[in-house]
Amino acid sequence: LGRNCMAVSSGNDSFLRALRLEKWLERAENFLSPYLEKKVVVVGLVGKDSLNRAKGEDLNDLLRMDVFPRWTDPEDTMSIQAFYCLDSNAIYLVLNGYNDFAHLRQLFASNHDKSFFERIAESEELEIRLLHYLCILSHLIIFVESSTRFDISLSDTLSTVNKIRKNVRESVSEKLEETSNEAAEWIREGRIALPRILFAFQRNIIRNELGFVKKREICDKLEHNLESQIYSVLKCYRLVEQSSGDSLGYVPENDAFVNVMQPVLVNVNPLADILQIALGKDLVEDGDDKSEKTPSFTRFLRTHIDSLRASKSKIYEIPKLELWVKYAQALVDLIKPDSEMLTRKLLNQYINRQLQFTRMLNAKHVKEAIARYTGASSGFAKGKAITDRARNQVVAMAIAYLDAVLVGNRDDAVAQIRAACDNLWQGGMRGCEQISMTGNRCQLKVHPAVGDASVDPSAWEMHSNDITYLSTCSCGRRQA
């Protein structure tokens, strides 16, 4: 494998390592030109880095090279890294940033002017874009969990991805047809295959002091139970067992689709292996030791890749490398925030529910605060004119209400209230405040008075200070 990967990268050492998808697609046709006619299987991996192990290390074990970084670089969060391996004729795509700690830390370290929900919404949008891209361009997708339990929120996310996939399916098909009409079934379905869905768990709850046979027995039962649970959840979310056009993917009927990772059980001498490769010798392993020296995840994934090639079940196209690169370049617009095929307006129909709810709630609170200013809210005098001196007090009362209930950005909401209240005051709620002969101010709203030549005399209105004088004698019998 090492020699084959070296051959792939003879033109450029950077191809010995996984590259960001956009950069990899730009260089692939030049640096992989000898292999463009080879048919490839595309494997996608989605997971989180744990405290002890990065998700890319599991693929490194399979490839026997440090292809993917051991820890996600902050600059590569929310991206897809790609690598082509000649030995297996497979393209490996690893999605970085999906609920990764590195991504969340970067997300909250920046964008200080945005609220919590706005930052989460921005992250969710990128996640959905990348997952959608991975789902329509992969034959096999494996989800790696850093914990011991299945994260049910993943099913909700995949359900959203599936709805979006069906919504933009025609646009994707049109884009593929414009690019090339070599793969008719791929174009018709809008994706390369109905992807096989697998799950792997980096940790388990099996006691270390148990023997190998007992561990293997418990592990088999654990995998079987996890399969039953996960299948039920996926079916409940209508991600599998639907018509081929409606399902996001499928789980294999005859092969296990859950792997609880087990460590290598015997010591491996990497220096001896490297020396044998350098001398041009094939690695020789005893039949009994071979399975023990190979991590369980490597055996698991290799089995599924071989099974996929053999059965070709639910696969619309096993394309040549050149065609896959061409179609992947055509669809890379899907992962961009300003995508014309997958617009932000379309995404907001399915995601950012928390942000949309808080914005709706804030709009309601702002409306209620303005109603308190105008007197339209219950318990307040309606339609009463507001004097210049009282205006600030009424605005302060509206803002005080807002402070008690607001969950969003206060500065924006206060600015909205001040602007709305000022417009209302200037537009008809301003008090006349004309001083009468008794020294009291008119309590009406601004109005045309007697003698105002700018309006018709029928619109004239007398001033009223809303004060009634009552005069009586000391005994109370007479009233003036």
Side-chain angles (χ1 to χ4, degrees), residues 387-459:
T387 64
D388 191 23
R389 287 181 297 176
R391 180 170 60 141
N392 291 334
Q393 296 178 359
V394 181
V395 171
M397 181 183 66
I399 293 175
Y401 164 78
L402 194 69
D403 287 335
V405 296
L406 189 69
V407 294
N409 189 310
R410 182 183 185 277
D411 294 338
D412 290 345
V414 169
Q416 288 181 47
I417 287 179
R418 289 192 181 279
C421 291
D422 187 61
N423 290 336
L424 288 169
W425 191 70
Q426 296 289 355
M429 294 192 68
R430 182 176 182 177
C432 175
E433 298 191 78
Q434 182 69 37
I435 300 177
S436 67
M437 294 177 64
T438 59
N440 297 301
R441 295 182 181 275
C442 177
Q443 299 297 309
L444 301 177
K445 297 177 182 178
V446 174
H447 60 91
V450 176
D452 190 345
S454 63
V455 297
D456 189 86
S458 61

Coordinates of all heavy atoms in Angstrom, one line a residue, residues 387-459:
T387 N -47.1 63.9 25.7 CA -46.3 65.2 25.6 C -44.9 65.0 25.5 O -44.4 63.8 25.7 CB -46.6 66.0 27.0 OG1 -46.0 65.2 28.0 CG2 -48.1 66.2 27.2
D388 N -44.2 66.0 25.2 CA -42.7 65.9 24.9 C -42.0 65.5 26.2 O -41.1 64.7 26.2 CB -42.2 67.3 24.4 CG -40.7 67.1 23.9 OD1 -40.4 66.0 23.6 OD2 -40.0 68.1 23.9
R389 N -42.5 66.0 27.4 CA -41.8 65.6 28.6 C -42.1 64.2 29.0 O -41.3 63.5 29.6 CB -42.3 66.6 29.7 CG -41.8 68.0 29.6 CD -42.3 68.9 30.7 NE -43.7 69.0 30.7 CZ -44.4 69.7 31.6 NH1 -43.8 70.2 32.7 NH2 -45.7 69.8 31.5
A390 N -43.4 63.7 28.7 CA -43.7 62.4 29.1 C -43.2 61.3 28.2 O -43.2 60.1 28.5 CB -45.3 62.3 29.2
R391 N -42.8 61.7 27.0 CA -42.4 60.7 26.0 C -41.3 59.8 26.4 O -41.4 58.6 26.3 CB -42.0 61.5 24.7 CG -41.6 60.5 23.6 CD -41.4 61.2 22.3 NE -40.4 62.3 22.3 CZ -39.5 62.5 21.4 NH1 -39.6 61.8 20.3 NH2 -38.7 63.5 21.5
N392 N -40.3 60.4 27.0 CA -39.1 59.6 27.4 C -39.5 58.6 28.5 O -39.0 57.5 28.6 CB -38.0 60.5 28.0 CG -37.3 61.2 26.8 OD1 -37.4 60.8 25.7 ND2 -36.8 62.4 27.1
Q393 N -40.5 59.0 29.4 CA -40.9 58.1 30.4 C -41.7 56.9 29.9 O -41.5 55.8 30.3 CB -41.8 58.9 31.4 CG -41.1 60.0 32.2 CD -42.1 60.7 33.1 OE1 -43.3 60.4 33.1 NE2 -41.6 61.7 33.8
V394 N -42.5 57.2 28.8 CA -43.3 56.1 28.2 C -42.3 55.1 27.5 O -42.5 53.9 27.5 CB -44.4 56.6 27.3 CG1 -45.2 55.5 26.7 CG2 -45.3 57.6 28.0
V395 N -41.3 55.7 26.8 CA -40.4 54.8 26.1 C -39.6 54.0 27.1 O -39.4 52.8 26.9 CB -39.4 55.7 25.2 CG1 -38.3 54.9 24.7 CG2 -40.2 56.4 24.1
A396 N -39.2 54.6 28.2 CA -38.5 53.9 29.2 C -39.3 52.7 29.8 O -38.8 51.6 30.1 CB -38.1 54.8 30.3
M397 N -40.6 53.0 29.9 CA -41.5 51.9 30.4 C -41.6 50.7 29.4 O -41.6 49.6 29.8 CB -42.9 52.5 30.6 CG -44.0 51.5 31.1 SD -45.6 52.2 31.3 CE -46.0 52.5 29.5
A398 N -41.6 51.1 28.1 CA -41.6 50.0 27.1 C -40.3 49.2 27.1 O -40.3 48.0 26.9 CB -41.9 50.7 25.7
I399 N -39.2 49.9 27.2 CA -37.9 49.2 27.3 C -37.8 48.4 28.5 O -37.2 47.3 28.5 CB -36.8 50.3 27.2 CG1 -36.8 50.9 25.8 CG2 -35.4 49.6 27.4 CD1 -35.8 52.1 25.6
A400 N -38.3 48.9 29.6 CA -38.3 48.1 30.9 C -39.0 46.8 30.7 O -38.6 45.7 31.2 CB -38.9 48.9 32.0
Y401 N -40.2 46.8 30.0 CA -40.9 45.6 29.7 C -40.0 44.6 28.9 O -40.0 43.4 29.1 CB -42.2 45.9 29.0 CG -42.8 44.7 28.4 CD1 -43.5 43.7 29.1 CD2 -42.7 44.5 27.0 CE1 -44.1 42.6 28.5 CE2 -43.2 43.3 26.4 CZ -43.9 42.4 27.2 OH -44.5 41.3 26.6
L402 N -39.4 45.2 27.9 CA -38.6 44.4 27.0 C -37.4 43.7 27.7 O -37.1 42.6 27.5 CB -38.0 45.3 25.9 CG -37.4 44.6 24.6 CD1 -38.5 43.9 23.8 CD2 -36.7 45.6 23.8
D403 N -36.8 44.5 28.6 CA -35.7 43.9 29.4 C -36.1 42.7 30.2 O -35.3 41.8 30.5 CB -35.1 44.9 30.3 CG -34.2 46.0 29.5 OD1 -33.8 45.6 28.4 OD2 -34.1 47.1 30.0
A404 N -37.4 42.7 30.6 CA -37.9 41.6 31.5 C -38.1 40.3 30.7 O -38.1 39.2 31.3 CB -39.2 42.1 32.2
V405 N -38.3 40.4 29.4 CA -38.7 39.2 28.6 C -37.8 38.9 27.4 O -37.9 37.8 26.9 CB -40.2 39.4 28.1 CG1 -41.2 39.5 29.2 CG2 -40.3 40.6 27.2
L406 N -36.9 39.8 27.0 CA -36.1 39.6 25.8 C -35.1 38.5 26.0 O -34.5 38.3 27.0 CB -35.4 40.9 25.5 CG -34.7 40.9 24.1 CD1 -35.7 40.9 23.0 CD2 -33.8 42.1 24.0
V407 N -34.9 37.7 24.9 CA -33.9 36.6 24.9 C -32.9 36.8 23.8 O -32.0 36.1 23.7 CB -34.6 35.2 24.7 CG1 -35.5 34.9 25.9 CG2 -35.4 35.2 23.4
G408 N -33.1 37.8 23.0 CA -32.2 38.1 21.8 C -31.3 39.3 22.1 O -30.9 39.6 23.2
N409 N -30.9 39.9 21.0 CA -30.0 41.0 21.0 C -30.7 42.3 21.5 O -31.6 42.8 20.9 CB -29.4 41.3 19.6 CG -28.3 42.3 19.7 OD1 -28.4 43.4 20.2 ND2 -27.1 41.9 19.1
R410 N -30.3 42.8 22.7 CA -31.0 43.9 23.3 C -30.8 45.2 22.5 O -31.8 45.9 22.3 CB -30.5 44.1 24.7 CG -31.2 45.3 25.5 CD -30.7 45.5 26.9 NE -31.4 46.5 27.6 CZ -31.3 47.8 27.4 NH1 -30.3 48.3 26.6 NH2 -32.0 48.7 28.1
D411 N -29.6 45.4 22.1 CA -29.3 46.7 21.4 C -30.2 46.8 20.1 O -30.8 47.9 19.9 CB -27.9 46.8 21.0 CG -27.0 46.9 22.2 OD1 -27.5 47.3 23.3 OD2 -25.8 46.5 22.1
D412 N -30.3 45.8 19.3 CA -31.2 45.8 18.1 C -32.6 46.1 18.5 O -33.3 46.8 17.8 CB -31.0 44.5 17.3 CG -29.7 44.4 16.7 OD1 -29.0 45.4 16.6 OD2 -29.3 43.3 16.3
A413 N -33.1 45.3 19.5 CA -34.5 45.5 19.9 C -34.8 46.9 20.4 O -35.9 47.5 20.1 CB -34.9 44.4 21.0
V414 N -33.9 47.4 21.2 CA -34.1 48.8 21.8 C -34.1 49.8 20.7 O -34.9 50.7 20.6 CB -33.1 49.1 22.8 CG1 -33.1 50.6 23.2 CG2 -33.3 48.3 24.1
A415 N -33.2 49.6 19.7 CA -33.2 50.5 18.5 C -34.5 50.5 17.8 O -35.0 51.5 17.3 CB -32.0 50.2 17.6
Q416 N -35.1 49.3 17.6 CA -36.4 49.1 16.9 C -37.5 49.9 17.7 O -38.3 50.5 17.1 CB -36.7 47.6 16.8 CG -35.9 46.8 15.8 CD -36.4 45.4 15.8 OE1 -37.6 45.1 15.7 NE2 -35.4 44.5 15.8
I417 N -37.5 49.7 19.0 CA -38.5 50.3 19.8 C -38.4 51.9 19.7 O -39.4 52.6 19.5 CB -38.5 49.8 21.2 CG1 -39.0 48.4 21.3 CG2 -39.3 50.7 22.2 CD1 -38.9 47.8 22.7
R418 N -37.2 52.4 19.9 CA -37.0 53.8 19.8 C -37.4 54.4 18.5 O -38.1 55.4 18.4 CB -35.6 54.2 20.1 CG -35.2 53.9 21.6 CD -33.8 54.6 21.9 NE -33.4 54.3 23.3 CZ -33.8 55.0 24.3 NH1 -34.7 56.0 24.1 NH2 -33.4 54.8 25.5
A419 N -37.0 53.7 17.4 CA -37.4 54.2 16.1 C -38.9 54.1 15.9 O -39.5 55.1 15.3 CB -36.7 53.3 15.0
A420 N -39.5 53.0 16.3 CA -41.0 52.9 16.1 C -41.7 53.9 16.9 O -42.7 54.5 16.5 CB -41.4 51.5 16.5
C421 N -41.3 54.1 18.2 CA -42.0 55.1 19.0 C -41.8 56.5 18.5 O -42.8 57.3 18.6 CB -41.4 55.0 20.5 SG -41.9 53.4 21.3
D422 N -40.7 56.8 18.0 CA -40.4 58.1 17.5 C -41.3 58.4 16.2 O -41.9 59.5 16.1 CB -39.0 58.3 17.1 CG -38.6 59.7 16.7 OD1 -38.8 60.6 17.5 OD2 -38.2 59.9 15.5
N423 N -41.4 57.4 15.4 CA -42.3 57.5 14.2 C -43.8 57.7 14.6 O -44.5 58.4 14.0 CB -42.2 56.3 13.3 CG -40.8 56.2 12.6 OD1 -40.2 57.2 12.4 ND2 -40.4 55.0 12.2
L424 N -44.2 56.9 15.6 CA -45.6 57.0 16.1 C -45.8 58.4 16.7 O -46.9 59.0 16.5 CB -45.9 55.9 17.1 CG -46.0 54.5 16.6 CD1 -46.0 53.5 17.7 CD2 -47.3 54.4 15.8
W425 N -44.9 58.9 17.4 CA -45.0 60.2 18.1 C -45.1 61.3 17.1 O -46.0 62.2 17.1 CB -43.9 60.4 19.1 CG -44.1 61.6 20.0 CD1 -45.0 61.7 21.0 CD2 -43.4 62.9 19.9 NE1 -44.9 62.9 21.6 CE2 -43.9 63.7 21.0 CE3 -42.4 63.4 19.1 CZ2 -43.4 65.0 21.2 CZ3 -41.9 64.7 19.4 CH2 -42.4 65.4 20.4
Q426 N -44.2 61.2 16.1 CA -44.2 62.2 15.0 C -45.4 62.1 14.1 O -45.9 63.0 13.5 CB -42.9 62.2 14.2 CG -41.7 62.4 15.0 CD -41.5 63.9 15.3 OE1 -42.3 64.8 14.9 NE2 -40.5 64.2 16.1
G427 N -46.0 60.9 14.0 CA -47.0 60.6 13.1 C -48.4 60.8 13.6 O -49.4 60.4 12.9
G428 N -48.6 61.3 14.8 CA -50.0 61.5 15.3 C -50.2 61.4 16.8 O -51.2 61.8 17.3
M429 N -49.2 60.9 17.5 CA -49.3 60.8 19.0 C -48.8 62.0 19.7 O -48.9 62.0 21.0 CB -48.7 59.5 19.5 CG -49.3 58.2 19.0 SD -48.8 56.8 19.8 CE -49.4 57.0 21.5
R430 N -48.2 62.9 19.0 CA -47.6 64.0 19.7 C -48.7 65.0 20.2 O -49.6 65.3 19.6 CB -46.7 64.8 18.7 CG -46.0 66.0 19.2 CD -45.1 66.6 18.1 NE -44.4 67.7 18.6 CZ -43.5 68.4 17.9 NH1 -43.3 68.1 16.7 NH2 -42.8 69.4 18.5
G431 N -48.5 65.4 21.4 CA -49.4 66.3 22.1 C -49.4 67.7 21.5 O -48.3 68.2 21.2
C432 N -50.5 68.4 21.5 CA -50.6 69.8 21.0 C -49.8 70.7 22.0 O -49.0 71.5 21.5 CB -52.1 70.2 20.9 SG -52.3 72.0 20.5
E433 N -50.1 70.6 23.3 CA -49.4 71.4 24.3 C -49.5 72.9 24.2 O -48.7 73.7 24.7 CB -47.9 71.0 24.4 CG -47.7 69.5 24.7 CD -46.3 69.2 25.0 OE1 -45.8 69.5 26.2 OE2 -45.6 68.7 24.2
Q434 N -50.5 73.4 23.5 CA -50.8 74.8 23.4 C -51.3 75.4 24.7 O -52.2 74.8 25.3 CB -51.8 75.1 22.3 CG -52.1 76.6 22.0 CD -50.9 77.3 21.4 OE1 -50.2 76.8 20.6 NE2 -50.7 78.6 21.9
I435 N -50.7 76.5 25.2 CA -51.1 77.0 26.5 C -52.3 77.8 26.4 O -52.4 78.7 25.5 CB -49.9 77.8 27.1 CG1 -48.7 77.0 27.3 CG2 -50.3 78.4 28.5 CD1 -47.5 77.7 27.8
S436 N -53.3 77.5 27.3 CA -54.6 78.3 27.2 C -54.5 79.5 28.1 O -53.5 79.8 28.7 CB -55.7 77.3 27.7 OG -55.5 77.1 29.1
M437 N -55.6 80.3 28.1 CA -55.7 81.5 28.9 C -55.5 81.2 30.4 O -55.1 82.1 31.2 CB -57.0 82.2 28.7 CG -57.1 82.8 27.3 SD -58.7 83.5 27.0 CE -58.6 84.9 28.1
T438 N -55.9 80.0 30.8 CA -55.8 79.6 32.3 C -54.4 79.1 32.6 O -54.1 78.8 33.7 CB -56.8 78.6 32.6 OG1 -56.6 77.4 31.8 CG2 -58.2 79.1 32.4
G439 N -53.5 79.1 31.6 CA -52.1 78.6 31.8 C -51.9 77.1 31.8 O -50.8 76.6 32.1
N440 N -52.9 76.4 31.3 CA -52.8 74.9 31.2 C -52.6 74.6 29.7 O -53.1 75.2 28.8 CB -54.1 74.3 31.7 CG -54.3 74.5 33.2 OD1 -53.5 74.2 34.0 ND2 -55.4 75.1 33.5
R441 N -52.0 73.4 29.5 CA -51.6 73.0 28.1 C -52.8 72.2 27.5 O -53.4 71.4 28.2 CB -50.3 72.2 28.1 CG -49.1 73.0 28.5 CD -47.9 72.2 28.5 NE -46.7 73.0 28.9 CZ -46.0 73.8 28.1 NH1 -46.3 73.9 26.8 NH2 -45.0 74.5 28.6
C442 N -52.9 72.3 26.2 CA -53.9 71.5 25.5 C -53.5 70.0 25.6 O -52.4 69.6 25.4 CB -54.0 71.9 24.1 SG -55.1 70.9 23.1
Q443 N -54.5 69.1 25.9 CA -54.2 67.7 26.1 C -54.5 66.9 24.8 O -54.3 65.7 24.8 CB -55.1 67.2 27.2 CG -54.9 67.8 28.6 CD -53.4 67.5 29.1 OE1 -53.0 66.4 29.1 NE2 -52.7 68.6 29.4
L444 N -55.0 67.5 23.8 CA -55.2 66.8 22.5 C -54.0 66.5 21.8 O -52.9 67.1 22.0 CB -56.2 67.6 21.7 CG -57.6 67.9 22.3 CD1 -58.4 68.8 21.3 CD2 -58.3 66.7 22.6
K445 N -54.1 65.6 20.8 CA -53.0 65.4 19.8 C -52.9 66.7 19.0 O -53.8 67.5 18.9 CB -53.2 64.2 19.0 CG -53.3 62.9 19.8 CD -53.6 61.7 18.9 CE -53.8 60.4 19.7 NZ -54.1 59.3 18.9
V446 N -51.7 66.8 18.3 CA -51.5 68.0 17.4 C -52.7 68.1 16.4 O -53.0 67.1 15.8 CB -50.2 67.9 16.7 CG1 -50.0 69.0 15.7 CG2 -49.0 67.9 17.7
H447 N -53.3 69.3 16.4 CA -54.5 69.4 15.5 C -54.5 70.8 14.9 O -53.9 71.8 15.5 CB -55.7 69.2 16.4 CG -55.9 70.1 17.5 ND1 -56.6 71.3 17.4 CD2 -55.4 70.1 18.8 CE1 -56.5 72.0 18.6 NE2 -55.8 71.2 19.4
P448 N -55.2 71.0 13.8 CA -55.4 72.4 13.3 C -56.3 73.2 14.2 O -57.4 72.8 14.5 CB -56.0 72.2 11.9 CG -56.7 70.8 12.0 CD -55.9 70.0 13.0
A449 N -55.8 74.4 14.6 CA -56.6 75.3 15.5 C -57.4 76.3 14.7 O -57.2 76.4 13.5 CB -55.7 75.9 16.5
V450 N -58.2 77.0 15.4 CA -59.0 78.1 14.7 C -58.1 79.1 14.1 O -57.1 79.6 14.8 CB -60.0 78.8 15.7 CG1 -60.7 79.9 15.1 CG2 -61.0 77.7 16.3
G451 N -58.3 79.4 12.8 CA -57.4 80.4 12.2 C -56.3 79.8 11.4 O -55.5 80.5 10.7
D452 N -56.2 78.5 11.4 CA -55.1 77.8 10.6 C -55.5 77.8 9.1 O -56.5 77.1 8.7 CB -55.0 76.4 11.1 CG -53.7 75.7 10.5 OD1 -53.2 76.2 9.5 OD2 -53.3 74.7 11.1
A453 N -54.8 78.6 8.4 CA -55.2 78.8 6.9 C -54.7 77.6 6.1 O -55.1 77.5 4.9 CB -54.6 80.1 6.4
S454 N -53.9 76.7 6.6 CA -53.4 75.6 5.8 C -54.4 74.5 5.6 O -54.1 73.6 4.8 CB -52.1 75.1 6.5 OG -52.4 74.5 7.7
V455 N -55.5 74.5 6.4 CA -56.5 73.5 6.2 C -57.9 74.1 6.1 O -58.1 75.3 6.3 CB -56.5 72.5 7.5 CG1 -55.1 71.8 7.6 CG2 -56.8 73.3 8.8
D456 N -58.8 73.3 5.7 CA -60.2 73.7 5.6 C -60.8 74.1 6.9 O -60.5 73.4 7.9 CB -61.0 72.6 4.9 CG -62.4 73.1 4.5 OD1 -62.5 73.6 3.4 OD2 -63.3 72.9 5.4
P457 N -61.5 75.1 7.1 CA -62.1 75.5 8.4 C -62.9 74.4 9.0 O -63.0 74.4 10.3 CB -63.0 76.7 8.0 CG -62.4 77.3 6.8 CD -61.8 76.1 6.0
S458 N -63.4 73.5 8.2 CA -64.2 72.4 8.8 C -63.4 71.5 9.7 O -63.9 70.7 10.5 CB -64.9 71.6 7.8 OG -64.0 71.0 6.9
A459 N -62.0 71.5 9.4 CA -61.1 70.6 10.2 C -60.6 71.3 11.4 O -59.9 70.7 12.2 CB -59.9 70.2 9.3

